[in-house]
């Protein structure tokens, strides 16, 4: 189930998937002297908590880039994540390491994450961060690209986040509220589920 909250849910396994949360991105910008307002990470953790509760998830899989950089590990983020983890202590949490996670370093043990390399096999799924990391070993779930689709009329255009289904799997939109977008161009056989607020729309390749 594609969710308008930029997440994917597998009901029979009660598993929630997200990609590219980029916690602490604002803090890393401020550490570099860029005046970015705070609060994005705590807001995103609240969003995650609401999803886990509303769907009664027992497993949570992050498809890479949970934390933005090493400087993102502030006391505030550590406190907020520990609070989040304690609230969902009965949920199995798996982090498929992404490129940002590898550069940021391991999360504190108290965060209770099972950090794994890609591809991470979960039933018929291959959980990755970067698309095609599974090399055709099954239906692939990935992130990394922050996919979006450009929609336009004769007079105007808008670019909206999307779930991008390609030949070997599905790429999730970025979950983090402080992330960019990468416009994808659909090829023959591909489709997208576009997120427009709380509504989802399917778009297929058109010549």
């Amino acid at each position: 189930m594609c969710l308008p909250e930029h997440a994917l849910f597998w009901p029979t396994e009660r598993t929630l998937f997200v990609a590219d949360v980029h916690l602490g991105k604002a803090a890393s910008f401020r550490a570099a002297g860029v005046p970015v307002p705070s609060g994005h990470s705590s807001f995103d953790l609240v969003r995650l908590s609401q999803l886990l509760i509303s769907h009664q998830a027992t497993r949570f899989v992050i498809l890479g880039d949970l934390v933005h950089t090493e400087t993102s590990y502030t006391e505030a983020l550590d406190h907020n994540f520990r609070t989040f983890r304690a609230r969902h202590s009965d949920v199995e949490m798996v982090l498929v390491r992404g490129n940002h996670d590898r550069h940021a370093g391991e999360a504190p043990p108290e965060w209770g994450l099972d950090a794994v390399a890609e591809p991470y096999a979960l039933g018929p799924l291959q959980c990755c961060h970067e698309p095609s990391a599974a090399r055709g070993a099954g239906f692939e779930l990935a992130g990394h690209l922050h996919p979006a689709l450009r929609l336009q009329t004769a007079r105007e255009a808008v670019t909206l986040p999307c779930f991008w289904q390609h030949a070997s799997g599905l790429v999730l939109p970025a979950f983090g509220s402080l992330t960019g977008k990468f416009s994808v161009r659909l090829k023959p056989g591909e489709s997208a589920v576009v997120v427009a607020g709380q509504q989802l729309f399917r778009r297929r390749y058109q010549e």
Side-chain angles (χ1 to χ4, degrees), residues 171-186:
V171 181
L172 276 65
F175 184 85
S177 57
L178 191 62
T179 54
K181 302 183 186 73
F182 172 75
S183 293
V184 297
R185 296 176 65 90
L186 298 181

Side-chain angles (χ1 to χ4, degrees), residues 187-203:
K187 299 176 182 178
E190 296 182 347
S191 64
V193 175
V194 181
V195 181
Q198 288 298 306
Q199 294 182 302
L200 299 174
F201 299 92
R202 180 173 290 277
R203 300 281 294 192

